Amino acid sequence: MEDKNHTRRKRYSGSYPKKFSEKYKEQNPDKYIDTIEKVMRKGNTPAGMHRPIMVEEILSFFDIKPHEIGIDLTIGFGGHSKEMLEKLNHTGHLHGIDQDPLELPKTKERLESYGFTTRDFTLHQINFKDLDQVNEKGFDFILADLGVSSMQLDDPQRGFTFREEGPLDLRMNPNVGIPAHIVLLQLSEFKIEQMLVENADEVYAKQIAHEITKEKQQGHFIQTTQELYKVITSALKQLPKAILSEELKKSASRTFQALRIEVNKEYEVLYELLEKLPNHLNPGGRVAILSFHSGEDRLVKKAFKQSINEGIFKSIDGPIIPSKDEVYHNPRARSAKLRTAIKA
Ligand SMILES: C[S@@+](CC[C@H](N)C(=O)[O-])C[C@H]1O[C@@H](n2cnc3c(N)ncnc32)[C@H](O)[C@@H]1O
């Protein structure tokens, strides 16, 4: 007999699902492995998944030995961590940090499903600037893969994407800090322009800051991702038709990136982390940092140079960029820069 409570899933229009909520197959990789493979072959990241970047380069640099103690400061989907745990092969220990309370429990389950247990790893839902809270004397290897995960980017309810409607939030930890729509309310026109330039080199910063402020002055408070996208569209409306759509996409990506950096205080926490980092490395310990935009990379480069000048690090390397092949198969890797250092 048919289950009366069963409701048919709403069919999406066209041949492929476009919205995050329609991509139920991609969000159930165990059940729909063919779909996952098809999506990845096309160079896309399946919804709800994150593909780790420059894994071979990182693993070859770390050269993990049995019984070592490591930490993944940005565990995300656990892609890098799974590989590092495999290298440890149930010896030593891996700590994993992430500030995202929504994704971290899923990562724990995922790592457990690969056969790793709390004897192999410990997860900490904290900001990496609070690394001191992890009860370990020193680490042999430390990884930071900065920025947001694909799971955060793709889920419209988190507010990181302008491609779908959702609340304009953009917090990696929704329990801490101020959501983006309130930040926009608090910032003056000048401060918005400054934020767009400093955090994302936005070319139309002046026009976008002006349009956002005009909306506020008229009593229209931007609450959602699509509302902000509409305001950016108005700010760019004078551009020639031939370039408008391309420029709009780029400007919207940069505006959302700038807001995300502001909301999550990304420069401040990275600066704090970089100051503490050398103290947490054992002699000969290795650190690898993957960054995704020039502001972040500049901070890492400066900190590493300072530590080598002071004799704290014995060697530094980078920036190393992903291979053409990796970028082809995973376009989200295109702006990655890897810097590494070894403690004296
Ligand atoms: C690019 S993803 C990492 C993906 C991961 N390497 C993998 O292979 O699945 C970055 C992750 O770092 C987290 N994150 C970013 N900044 C953080 C911070 N300051 N403290 C803790 N976690 C942070 C984000 O929540 C996100 O899950």
Side-chain angles (χ1 to χ4, degrees):
M1 218 171 71
E2 206 177 301
D3 177 3
K4 277 194 189 133
N5 293 326
H6 179 81
T7 47
R8 262 191 98 73
R9 202 185 303 276
K10 234 175 120 196
R11 174 85 188 139
Y12 43 84
S13 62
S15 316
Y16 300 105
K18 289 181 195 70
K19 291 191 172 156
F20 181 82
S21 55
E22 296 165 347
K23 296 179 179 174
Y24 62 93
K25 289 189 178 172
E26 294 174 37
Q27 292 179 57
N28 285 288
D30 299 339
K31 247 166 114 184
Y32 300 102
I33 187 76
D34 291 355
T35 305
I36 299 295
E37 282 171 1
K38 221 190 284 170
V39 172
M40 300 219 298
R41 267 202 303 277
K42 284 169 125 188
N44 294 325
T45 300
M49 263 179 98
H50 180 97
R51 296 160 76 184
I53 289 167
M54 299 185 79
V55 175
E56 274 173 38
E57 292 85 344
I58 291 168
L59 288 181
S60 125
F61 166 67
F62 279 160
D63 188 20
I64 296 171
K65 321 232 179 10
H67 305 289
E68 285 196 323
I69 309 288
I71 186 160
D72 185 343
L73 296 172
T74 50
I75 197 164
F77 191 75
H80 289 107
S81 275
K82 173 178 179 274
E83 303 294 328
M84 297 192 287
L85 281 164
E86 268 164 22
K87 292 282 173 197
L88 284 173
N89 195 17
H90 305 287
T91 71
H93 202 78
L94 184 75
H95 290 269
I97 285 181
D98 206 296
Q99 62 179 333
D100 186 337
L102 305 172
E103 289 296 331
L104 199 59
K106 298 184 208 162
T107 304
K108 182 168 185 276
E109 274 181 25
R110 205 174 296 119
L111 292 178
E112 283 171 348
S113 77
Y114 299 131
F116 300 110
T117 69
T118 44
R119 255 182 295 154
D120 303 306
F121 72 92
T122 310
L123 299 187
H124 311 262
Q125 196 251 303
I126 56 173
N127 193 299
F128 58 48
K129 75 175 170 56
D130 301 320
L131 170 63
D132 319 291
Q133 290 177 13
V134 177
N135 193 12
E136 198 70 71
K137 279 200 200 80
F139 298 103
D140 300 306
F141 58 95
I142 299 182
L143 172 67
D145 174 12
L146 302 172
V148 269
S149 67
S150 298
M151 299 84 77
Q152 292 165 333
L153 262 184
D154 292 344
D155 181 353
Q157 286 314 311
R158 307 290 304 261
F160 289 97
T161 176
F162 60 89
R163 294 175 200 280
E164 282 192 51
E165 179 66 316
L168 193 65
D169 190 312
L170 288 110
R171 284 173 297 172
M172 294 188 220
N173 179 354
N175 304 324
V176 172
I178 304 168
H181 66 97
I182 308 272
V183 168
L184 277 188
L185 270 186
Q186 292 174 341
L187 295 179
S188 66
E189 182 169 344
F190 175 70
K191 287 273 179 204
I192 296 175
E193 182 183 341
Q194 203 178 23
M195 171 189 80
L196 293 171
V197 173
E198 280 175 12
N199 295 358
D201 300 317
E202 174 49 41
V203 191
Y204 307 105
K206 207 174 208 26
Q207 292 87 328
I208 295 171
H210 182 69
E211 202 63 33
I212 292 174
T213 311
K214 203 172 88 190
E215 287 291 310
K216 283 198 287 191
Q217 284 162 350
Q218 291 173 352
H220 304 149
F221 302 124
I222 303 166
Q223 305 266 9
T224 72
T225 53
Q226 298 271 291
E227 281 168 16
L228 178 58
Y229 184 67
K230 268 194 209 139
V231 173
I232 303 169
T233 313
S234 300
L236 269 61
K237 65 176 182 287
Q238 306 294 359
L239 290 182
K241 267 218 170 92
I243 59 163
L244 180 62
S245 127
E246 236 355 83
E247 288 298 281
L248 186 55
K249 238 190 279 167
K250 287 191 212 155
S251 264
S253 302
R254 290 190 296 251
T255 302
F256 274 70
Q257 174 187 307
L259 254 181
R260 192 201 84 207
I261 292 172
E262 175 75 24
V263 165
N264 295 286
K265 308 255 168 286
E266 291 181 36
Y267 290 146
E268 290 89 332
V269 295
L270 177 58
Y271 187 83
E272 227 180 287
L273 171 73
L274 289 167
E275 281 212 315
K276 293 180 174 177
L277 209 59
N279 297 334
H280 289 275
L281 276 172
N282 291 331
R286 292 87 74 202
V287 54
I289 303 190
L290 263 178
S291 64
F292 292 86
H293 55 86
S294 55
E296 269 175 357
D297 183 56
R298 261 197 302 274
L299 280 184
V300 179
K301 178 176 155 185
K302 204 169 152 210
F304 280 14
K305 278 208 167 139
Q306 191 179 331
S307 287
I308 201 149
N309 289 341
E310 291 170 358
I312 299 168
F313 287 161
K314 65 176 175 192
S315 73
I316 57 174
D317 197 9
I320 306 157
I321 55 169
S323 66
K324 279 196 185 131
D325 190 53
E326 174 162 10
V327 174
Y328 177 78
H329 286 103
N330 182 11
R332 286 184 179 177
R334 67 184 172 272
S335 45
K337 279 191 183 144
L338 175 68
R339 290 190 185 269
T340 62
I342 304 178
K343 189 163 172 184

